[in-house]
Amino acid sequence: MQISDNRDFTRWFIIVVSFLIVVLIVWNTYYLFQAFKEEERMKMELWADATEAISSPTDDKALETVSDITTKNNTIPLILTDAEGIIRESRNIDESILEGGKIKDSIKAYKLLEEFKSQNNRLTIEYLPGEFQYVYFGNSTLLNVLKYYPVALVLIILLFGVVVYIFFKANKISAQNRLWAGMAKETAHQIGTPLSSLLGWIEIMRADNVDETTVTEVEKDVLRLQTIAERFSKVGSEPELQELDIIAETERSFAYLKARASKQVEFIFHAPATPVKVMLNPELHSWTVENLVKNAIDAMKGKGRLEIILEEREKYVKLKVCDSGKGIAKSQYKKVFEPGFTTKKRGWGLGLSLTRRIVEEYHKGRIKVLHSEVGKGTIMQASFPKLR
């Protein structure tokens, strides 16, 4: 799995979800508008009928208008009870609970009645002198929809806020990456000129019969500088990957570092007996191993046990670097890979940041702090996709 692809997927997923929510809210707004429009039309019809009834001298017309008013309520659920609280009539209630005044599920019916009592104040009807009935009503469907409308708006605002934050954060990270890549390329360019001169001086030393051991050691250091320059030149560009045995490449870097490290560090190397092929850039991979090993040695203050373990899995090969150093607090697991983060008195905090870029962006792998315990040590793990 590619880490950068995962980030892009997450970003686009949030954007698509935001767009769908906006469409949903727009559609819901249109629905509410049409519903209110129909409700207002019905109210105006009732008002017109009532006005006509007031001007009409016949009681029949007035009774007909009152009947219209009661029957045209198609949205607000209500329950009519007598003075003793017995349900006599209902409207706009689920027919499986109440149908007219007939109770089909008494438990749900009286539970609904209690709910209506908590939602709105009852209305009193004196249908005969001293005889009363009570109307309990709940919120209409429109009101229930409107109740959640502000919540939807708040969620969409928060979601767009997250999108904007991710967008600006991605731009900031991109700018930082361009800056570090530019610095790396410029460093490689600056190193190139004196390296060419040093190679010439080596040939002059050989011509002057300088001690061969001295010349050989100088040549090793110059070649080392060439490797460093090649590493920096590849930062910020797409490096060429080759089908290589990660065990052999890792062991080569391990041996180089072991030969130049303190004798107080115990080096241990474990790997499968057979080659494991992955797509690697050898210079950048050696940089990865070097950064992880040097960080481990620094954490142990030059004394302790350092172990490199290569484990083959179905889709990945895992490179673990284990040390017996000071450890990392769990709250800093992710921070250690951020540019500029360091616990050293001297250091730029770029080693692990560059290592993550090499592993995740160039080799399409993953890197993380697998486990760490303060005062006991740390296990760093880099995973590389195997060739099938």
Side-chain angles (χ1 to χ4, degrees):
M1 184 180 293
Q2 300 180 10
I3 302 301
S4 58
D5 288 346
N6 284 345
R7 290 171 181 163
D8 288 338
F9 173 80
T10 301
R11 189 179 300 121
W12 280 108
F13 176 79
I14 292 175
I15 292 172
V16 170
V17 170
S18 302
F19 176 77
L20 290 176
I21 292 177
V22 170
V23 171
L24 182 62
I25 289 179
V26 171
W27 177 85
N28 195 41
T29 303
Y30 175 77
Y31 166 78
L32 289 176
F33 174 79
Q34 294 298 324
F36 276 119
K37 184 178 179 180
E38 182 64 22
E39 190 79 0
E40 291 297 325
R41 185 191 64 80
M42 187 178 295
K43 288 178 181 179
M44 290 306 297
E45 286 179 356
L46 294 175
W47 179 84
D49 291 341
T51 303
E52 184 180 349
I54 291 173
S55 63
S56 174
T58 62
D59 290 338
D60 290 342
K61 183 65 176 178
L63 288 173
E64 184 182 345
T65 301
V66 172
S67 177
D68 285 344
I69 292 173
T70 58
T71 57
K72 285 186 178 180
N73 170 27
N74 298 319
T75 58
I76 302 175
L78 64 87
I79 296 175
L80 180 68
T81 70
D82 58 20
E84 286 74 31
I86 305 301
I87 296 175
R88 298 300 182 186
E89 184 63 52
S90 67
R91 284 193 179 276
N92 305 316
I93 305 293
D94 187 349
E95 292 182 356
S96 64
I97 301 174
L98 281 167
E99 186 175 4
K102 185 178 179 181
I103 299 175
K104 293 188 176 182
D105 189 330
S106 59
I107 295 176
K108 290 184 178 179
Y110 283 97
K111 183 179 180 181
L112 187 61
L113 179 60
E114 292 301 318
E115 185 179 334
F116 286 175
K117 288 180 180 179
S118 66
Q119 289 181 0
N120 298 289
N121 294 328
R122 71 184 184 184
L123 302 177
T124 302
I125 300 175
E126 187 176 6
Y127 62 96
L128 289 174
E131 298 292 334
F132 298 95
Q133 289 183 332
Y134 302 103
V135 178
Y136 298 93
F137 60 98
N139 294 329
S140 67
T141 304
L142 293 175
L143 285 178
N144 286 329
V145 172
L146 285 174
K147 181 170 64 176
Y148 297 106
Y149 195 72
V151 177
L153 289 177
V154 170
L155 287 176
I156 193 64
I157 291 171
L158 290 176
L159 201 55
F160 272 114
V162 171
V163 171
V164 171
Y165 170 76
I166 292 175
F167 175 76
F168 282 108
K169 186 176 181 181
N171 281 348
K172 182 179 179 181
I173 293 174
S174 177
Q176 289 177 341
N177 288 339
R178 288 195 297 270
L179 175 62
W180 294 124
M183 290 178 62
K185 288 183 178 293
E186 181 62 22
T187 301
H189 177 71
Q190 295 294 335
I191 291 175
T193 302
L195 272 178
S196 300
S197 296
L198 286 172
L199 289 170
W201 282 109
I202 288 173
E203 294 304 319
I204 291 173
M205 290 169 67
R206 282 203 173 98
D208 290 344
N209 295 320
V210 176
D211 181 58
E212 186 61 28
T213 302
T214 302
V215 175
T216 300
E217 290 302 315
V218 171
E219 190 172 28
K220 285 181 181 179
D221 289 335
V222 170
L223 292 175
R224 177 65 177 168
L225 286 172
Q226 280 184 321
T227 300
I228 293 172
E230 287 177 9
R231 290 174 178 174
F232 278 106
S233 68
K234 288 178 171 60
V235 174
S237 58
E238 193 66 29
E240 181 182 351
L241 302 181
Q242 306 172 39
E243 183 179 330
L244 297 171
D245 175 18
I246 191 172
I247 296 174
E249 294 299 322
T250 304
E251 191 170 15
R252 186 179 296 111
S253 299
F254 175 82
Y256 175 85
L257 294 167
K258 180 180 178 181
R260 286 158 178 77
S262 168
K263 301 303 179 183
Q264 293 181 311
V265 178
E266 180 186 2
F267 284 84
I268 301 171
F269 186 83
H270 293 292
T274 56
V276 180
K277 298 289 185 178
V278 300
M279 296 302 295
L280 282 181
N281 180 277
E283 289 85 8
L284 293 182
H285 180 66
S286 67
W287 200 358
T288 296
V289 176
E290 182 178 321
N291 282 336
L292 293 176
V293 169
K294 284 186 175 180
N295 271 348
I297 293 174
D298 289 342
M300 298 186 297
K301 297 182 179 179
K303 183 179 181 181
R305 176 189 175 94
L306 191 147
E307 190 173 3
I308 288 185
I309 304 171
L310 281 162
E311 296 179 351
E312 186 177 5
R313 294 288 185 266
E314 184 179 354
K315 295 182 179 180
Y316 286 88
V317 57
K318 299 181 184 295
L319 168 63
K320 297 179 182 178
V321 178
C322 315
D323 66 64
S324 58
K326 59 184 179 180
I328 303 169
K330 197 167 184 177
S331 60
Q332 296 181 338
Y333 276 18
K334 292 184 179 180
K335 290 183 179 179
V336 296
F337 296 105
E338 294 177 0
F341 180 86
T342 180
T343 57
K344 305 172 188 176
K345 292 182 178 179
R346 295 181 180 180
W348 288 74
L350 297 179
L352 287 179
S353 175
L354 287 169
T355 301
R356 181 174 66 176
R357 182 175 185 138
I358 291 169
V359 173
E360 296 185 355
E361 295 189 23
Y362 297 151
H363 292 104
K364 313 306 179 188
R366 291 177 291 184
I367 187 168
K368 63 180 179 180
V369 180
L370 183 63
H371 177 73
S372 187
E373 192 172 346
V374 176
K376 293 189 177 180
T378 301
I379 302 176
M380 303 290 290
Q381 176 179 283
S383 303
F384 300 87
K386 287 171 50 182
L387 289 176
R388 296 181 181 179

